[in-house]
Amino acid sequence: MISEKTISRLTNYQSLLRQQQTQGTSHIFSHQLADLARVTPAQVRRDLMVIGYSGNPRTGYHVGDLQESLMQFFAFSTGIPTVLVGVGSLGRALLSYFMTGRSNIRILAAFDSDPMKTGRSISGCRVYPMTRLRETIADLTVTCGLITVPGSEAQKVVDALITGGIHGFVNFAPVRLKVPPTVFVENLDVTSSIEKAAFFARSYSLKTQEEQAHE
Amino acid sequence: MISEKTISRLTNYQSLLRQQQTQGTSHIFSHQLADLARVTPAQVRRDLMVIGYSGNPRTGYHVGDLQESLMQFFAFSTGIPTVLVGVGSLGRALLSYFMTGRSNIRILAAFDSDPMKTGRSISGCRVYPMTRLRETIADLTVTCGLITVPGSEAQKVVDALITGGIHGFVNFAPVRLKVPPTVFVENLDVTSSIEKAAFFARSYSLKTQEEQAHE
DNA sequence: CTCTAGCTGTGAAATTTGTCACAGCGTGAA
DNA sequence: TTCACGCTGTGACAAATTTCACAGCTAGAG
Ligand SMILES: NC(=O)c1ccc[n+]([C@@H]2O[C@H](COP(=O)([O-])OP(=O)(O)OC[C@H]3O[C@@H](n4cnc5c(N)ncnc54)[C@H](O)[C@@H]3O)[C@@H](O)[C@H]2O)c1
Ligand SMILES: NC(=O)c1ccc[n+]([C@@H]2O[C@H](COP(=O)([O-])OP(=O)(O)OC[C@H]3O[C@@H](n4cnc5c(N)ncnc54)[C@H](O)[C@@H]3O)[C@@H](O)[C@H]2O)c1
């Protein structure tokens, strides 16, 4: 079994390699990729072991080939098909970003329970009422659901999407969803992240002050 | 030194306890809190060790007292003072959420380099030009910066905020920022999270199919 | 009062995750 | 062609994190 952290780093390498390739870099060493990703060279080599790509001791990794291997490993050459539920302020921000950007994420459809928001397109994405959820995702072969409804609604929304056959979610609502072990949920809780950053900010800030006091 | 994971869980307990208290729960056992937080009871007890709060073997933890201890540990009774840089679609979503919500996060000011966006308020938050950054944050005692500018601009923005004395960041741009060891950065990379969810979705989905085939 | 069921707090073990360090290799230099 | 440098791939080790498991306690029942 391969760990979440490894997967996160691999996706990061992928985006860094894309950047490097546009800059014309053809080969890259583990220590260079490590610097870009802010990890150790050993970590990079370890991670690349799991996708089975081998570099060359003298020239490092071939950027194009490595990207190819990563693509194959992640197997989303045609992009990641997703749907979004909850076209509020956050949902609209995500639509505007992913419908225009050139990431490999495709939002195929959006859903909302509010009749004011349905029946039209936002950033080029159709917004459907929740009643159309089942049939629409049955047609589309969706890999991942983006949950941007209020916390109180999130559980019922995921339940519906799971019934529709979706196994992966990114949940922006500040609640822990209950899902079967065949379903993966990545929680992006902004509030919690800010609290975390604030905690460490304060502790680092105090440490800095103490050190200055010692001088 | 206390770990990031522990802090994340503690903030989560805090929000769960808030919910429980509004529902009139006065006492809670480690296994109950564990169920809510989707962790093990031992994990809960371990985590609570670090804040030095002790429960009672017969009645469990007193919800009010535990909240009090957590508050004291995090020491943000007056709310977490933050500033936001980059009033684009994501920045506006965050403003609308945190300026109206009843979380303990306070966005004191927003900044943008685009003159079209400055000089007015969005969701009740003043948007200043970047030239006013230094003086404004000097006045405000800010704990945490929210970075919602394009990736290409993120590094220079953090550099400026660090110069202004901020030690904590939540970075939404898909780049790894270079910061001194006295500064904490929490990266919220939505693209990367979706890719991760998609990867595990596919692997769980395949596993499910295999199991069904075996029957 | 005494007893007991079932919890907490916590050393110790287990597991997961990251790092070290070095054998082995490929390339360019001579 | 040979050599030497500096990298990769990886076994072994180290650190961090989680779980186990149990002594010790406490409120309520009898
Ligand atoms: N910056 C942010 O906006 C922000 C920050 C932190 C967390 N969040 C979380 O993200 C989620 C969305 O936040 P938001 O600010 O966009 O909220 P919002 O109220 O602007 O949007 C919520 C949307 O969900 C729709 N909705 C409600 N119930 C639904 C249901 N049962 N089925 C389908 N659609 C439904 C509503 O019609 C609305 O369009 C919330 O859980 C919030 O806690 C948002
Ligand atoms: N849903 C989303 O919107 C989304 C999703 C994933 C990642 N992101 C990331 O979040 C960031 C913001 O995304 P967005 O969609 O809001 O982009 P946006 O283009 O809508 O907004 C960016 C804002 O930053 C301002 N800006 C640009 N350069 C600046 C500078 N040097 N100083 C101050 N302000 C500056 C711009 O004027 C603009 O208002 C980006 O890094 C993006 O990659 C956003």
Side-chain angles (χ1 to χ4, degrees):
Chain A
M1 196 49 198
I2 177 165
S3 84
E4 282 192 46
K5 297 197 170 189
T6 303
I7 295 299
S8 291
R9 283 191 301 265
L10 285 173
T11 62
N12 187 213
Y13 301 153
Q14 216 173 6
S15 90
L16 292 169
L17 289 170
R18 238 190 317 271
Q19 278 172 42
Q20 288 302 304
Q21 197 165 46
T22 62
Q23 289 173 27
T25 315
S26 72
H27 293 267
I28 194 166
F29 292 120
S30 65
H31 70 261
Q32 297 176 305
L33 191 49
D35 285 349
L36 295 170
R38 310 258 186 270
V39 296
T40 63
Q43 182 81 77
V44 169
R45 297 201 296 275
R46 210 24 105 183
D47 290 337
L48 296 189
M49 275 179 76
V50 313
I51 65 163
Y53 180 76
S54 271
N56 176 310
R58 190 65 183 190
T59 57
Y61 303 99
H62 186 277
V63 174
D65 290 355
L66 179 48
Q67 268 191 303
E68 184 59 35
S69 291
L70 281 164
M71 290 273 252
Q72 230 172 304
F73 178 76
F74 284 107
F76 286 110
S77 48
T78 59
I80 298 172
T82 69
V83 293
L84 181 145
V85 184
V87 187
S89 57
L90 182 57
R92 279 197 303 273
L94 292 176
L95 286 176
S96 96
Y97 186 75
F98 288 110
M99 294 305 288
T100 62
R102 65 221 165 297
S103 80
N104 63 334
I105 287 150
R106 311 266 167 264
I107 302 185
L108 304 181
F111 298 90
D112 204 295
S113 60
D114 182 350
M116 296 294 291
K117 304 195 172 167
T118 59
R120 59 202 177 99
S121 289
I122 292 186
S123 300
C125 182
R126 300 282 321 183
V127 181
Y128 298 100
M130 293 301 282
T131 48
R132 302 268 319 264
L133 191 77
R134 286 295 291 282
E135 47 168 319
T136 313
I137 61 182
D139 285 353
L140 291 175
T141 329
V142 175
T143 304
C144 185
L146 310 180
I147 309 297
T148 50
V149 296
S152 55
E153 305 295 316
Q155 185 66 57
K156 71 178 74 152
V157 166
V158 216
D159 289 345
L161 290 172
I162 290 173
T163 309
I166 298 181
H167 290 260
F169 295 91
V170 177
N171 172 38
F172 293 84
V175 294
R176 301 287 158 144
L177 301 168
K178 184 152 199 175
V179 298
T182 55
V183 169
F184 179 87
V185 178
E186 168 83 351
N187 290 299
L188 280 191
D189 186 339
V190 180
T191 305
S192 172
S193 292
I194 296 175
E195 287 171 350
K196 184 171 154 190
F199 175 82
F200 286 107
R202 202 170 53 84
S203 89
Y204 286 6
S205 168
L206 290 173
K207 203 162 59 183
T208 309
Q209 279 168 29
E210 274 170 28
E211 273 161 24
Q212 285 174 353
H214 272 283
E215 277 162 23
Chain B
M1 195 50 198
I2 177 164
S3 83
E4 281 190 46
K5 296 195 171 191
T6 303
I7 295 299
S8 291
R9 283 191 302 265
L10 285 173
T11 62
N12 187 213
Y13 300 154
Q14 215 173 6
S15 90
L16 292 169
L17 289 170
R18 238 190 318 270
Q19 279 171 41
Q20 288 303 302
Q21 197 165 46
T22 62
Q23 289 174 25
T25 315
S26 72
H27 294 267
I28 193 166
F29 292 120
S30 65
H31 70 263
Q32 299 176 306
L33 192 49
D35 285 349
L36 295 170
R38 310 256 187 271
V39 296
T40 63
Q43 182 81 79
V44 169
R45 298 201 295 274
R46 229 347 123 201
D47 289 337
L48 295 188
M49 276 180 75
V50 313
I51 65 164
Y53 180 75
S54 269
N56 177 311
R58 190 65 182 190
T59 57
Y61 303 100
H62 186 277
V63 175
D65 289 356
L66 179 47
Q67 268 191 303
E68 184 58 35
S69 290
L70 281 164
M71 291 274 251
Q72 229 172 304
F73 178 76
F74 284 107
F76 285 111
S77 47
T78 58
I80 298 171
T82 69
V83 292
L84 181 144
V85 185
V87 187
S89 56
L90 182 56
R92 278 197 304 273
L94 293 175
L95 285 176
S96 95
Y97 185 77
F98 288 110
M99 294 305 288
T100 63
R102 66 232 164 290
S103 81
N104 63 335
I105 287 149
R106 312 265 167 264
I107 302 185
L108 304 180
F111 298 90
D112 204 294
S113 59
D114 182 350
M116 296 293 291
K117 305 196 172 167
T118 58
R120 59 202 177 99
S121 288
I122 292 186
S123 301
C125 182
R126 301 283 318 185
V127 181
Y128 299 100
M130 293 301 284
T131 48
R132 300 270 316 267
L133 191 78
R134 287 296 291 281
E135 47 167 320
T136 313
I137 61 182
D139 285 353
L140 291 176
T141 328
V142 175
T143 304
C144 187
L146 310 179
I147 309 298
T148 50
V149 296
S152 55
E153 304 296 316
Q155 185 65 57
K156 74 178 73 150
V157 166
V158 225
D159 288 346
L161 290 171
I162 290 172
T163 310
I166 298 181
H167 290 260
F169 296 91
V170 177
N171 172 38
F172 293 84
V175 294
R176 302 287 159 144
L177 301 168
K178 183 152 200 173
V179 298
T182 57
V183 168
F184 179 88
V185 178
E186 169 83 350
N187 290 298
L188 281 191
D189 185 338
V190 180
T191 305
S192 172
S193 291
I194 297 175
E195 287 171 348
K196 185 170 153 190
F199 175 82
F200 286 106
R202 202 169 53 85
S203 90
Y204 287 4
S205 169
L206 290 173
K207 205 163 55 184
T208 308
Q209 279 168 28
E210 274 171 29
E211 275 161 22
Q212 285 174 351
H214 273 282
E215 281 162 19

